Amino acid sequence: MTYKSNLAYFWEMKNSINNETVSFTVKGQVVIPRKIRREFEIEEGTQAILQTTPDGILLKPITGKYIRSLRGKYKHLDLMKGLTESRKEDRQRDW
């Protein structure tokens, strides 16, 4: 595994689309700038998925926009058919 130098990371960050600088509190909390919160529809109480990547920390807010982006993603798995069959089995067992 190769590691990039700090300068390489700085260069990538400098050339990314949205650059903002934030600070961490003693508890590890960070304030996301208002412009980014509005862009991603982040409101008080919004939860996020936290992933560690080779490039750093990735936060994916779980918002209506994120949920809508998943629409149809798992269509090929035919999950509704499995759910329907499972519910039928449950009903038969309950009788």
Side-chain angles (χ1 to χ4, degrees):
M1 177 181 276
T2 59
Y3 291 95
K4 296 179 183 177
S5 70
N6 289 342
L7 185 58
Y9 279 121
F10 178 73
W11 179 257
E12 285 179 11
M13 290 172 60
K14 184 177 177 186
N15 292 317
S16 70
I17 296 171
N18 289 321
N19 265 340
E20 297 287 338
T21 301
V22 297
S23 299
F24 291 91
T25 67
V26 174
K27 294 182 178 183
Q29 297 169 328
V30 63
V31 175
I32 298 172
R34 180 182 298 169
K35 181 174 103 175
I36 294 175
R37 290 194 315 263
R38 285 183 179 163
E39 179 181 345
F40 288 93
E41 301 176 4
I42 298 171
E43 299 172 347
E44 183 178 354
T46 298
Q47 294 186 345
I49 298 168
L50 177 86
Q51 292 179 331
T52 56
T53 71
D55 292 331
I57 300 168
L58 176 63
L59 282 174
K60 294 183 178 182
I62 304 171
T63 62
K65 184 177 184 177
Y66 174 74
I67 292 169
R68 284 189 301 277
S69 76
L70 297 175
R71 188 171 289 154
K73 184 174 183 175
Y74 300 105
K75 188 176 184 177
H76 67 283
L77 298 178
D78 205 9
L79 298 173
M80 284 304 293
K81 183 177 179 182
L83 179 62
T84 304
E85 289 174 5
S86 175
R87 292 201 51 171
K88 276 183 186 177
E89 291 171 6
D90 289 345
R91 281 193 297 260
Q92 288 174 353
R93 197 172 351 150
D94 291 341
W95 285 93

